[in-house]
Amino acid sequence: MASVMVTNDVIDIRFTGWERVWVGRERFAPPLTAVRHVALVDSPLRLARGARRGYVVSGFAKIGVWGLYGGPRQLVAARRAEPGLHLVLDRAAVDGEFDEVVLSSPAAPGLVEAITRAMAARA
């Protein structure tokens, strides 16, 4: 499961060994200034949509990159029965890589709160 740390400037997301294979990276660290919206979601699996490069076990897990041929480009590491973190990003501020990040984490409620606080402190 990906680990997420929020600092004053960035949201540091680090992927586990097998997640790295499907997301194509060890780490993604968008700056807080790139976050346009943050939300807690009950069913993060439902957010991943469109063509993909990744791993899917229907109804259980989605890991990889979604939205390859149109729509929002999403970096996804989501599992069933875990709350989710949904970030909407300014794509230009993250080098044109992703429009959204969808992650599952038992700590998602606290992460949403921390990101919201950090965004408010920067405003």
Side-chain angles (χ1 to χ4, degrees):
M1 164 182 338
S3 65
V4 182
M5 290 183 56
V6 180
T7 68
N8 293 335
D9 299 329
V10 300
I11 302 165
D12 189 12
I13 304 165
R14 295 183 185 259
F15 297 99
T16 61
W18 64 278
E19 287 174 329
R20 290 177 195 158
V21 171
W22 299 108
V23 298
R25 62 184 59 234
E26 177 181 342
R27 178 178 183 241
F28 182 62
L32 280 167
T33 55
V35 178
R36 297 293 168 244
H37 180 73
V38 59
L40 179 65
V41 292
D42 292 328
S43 301
L45 287 175
R46 294 181 186 206
L47 294 177
R49 59 198 174 276
R52 70 180 184 273
R53 179 187 76 237
Y55 170 80
V56 175
V57 175
S58 186
F60 182 73
K62 293 182 179 180
I63 301 167
V65 178
W66 266 250
L68 295 178
Y69 302 115
R73 171 82 44 111
Q74 300 171 305
L75 180 62
V76 178
R79 286 169 199 75
R80 177 183 64 196
E82 288 186 10
L85 171 68
H86 181 211
L87 299 173
V88 177
L89 306 173
D90 175 357
R91 192 172 184 169
V94 290
D95 298 327
E97 289 189 283
F98 302 105
D99 298 297
E100 299 179 11
V101 176
V102 178
L103 300 172
S104 288
S105 172
L111 291 168
V112 169
E113 185 179 315
I115 293 166
T116 302
R117 261 195 329 267
M119 289 172 60
R122 296 188 61 79

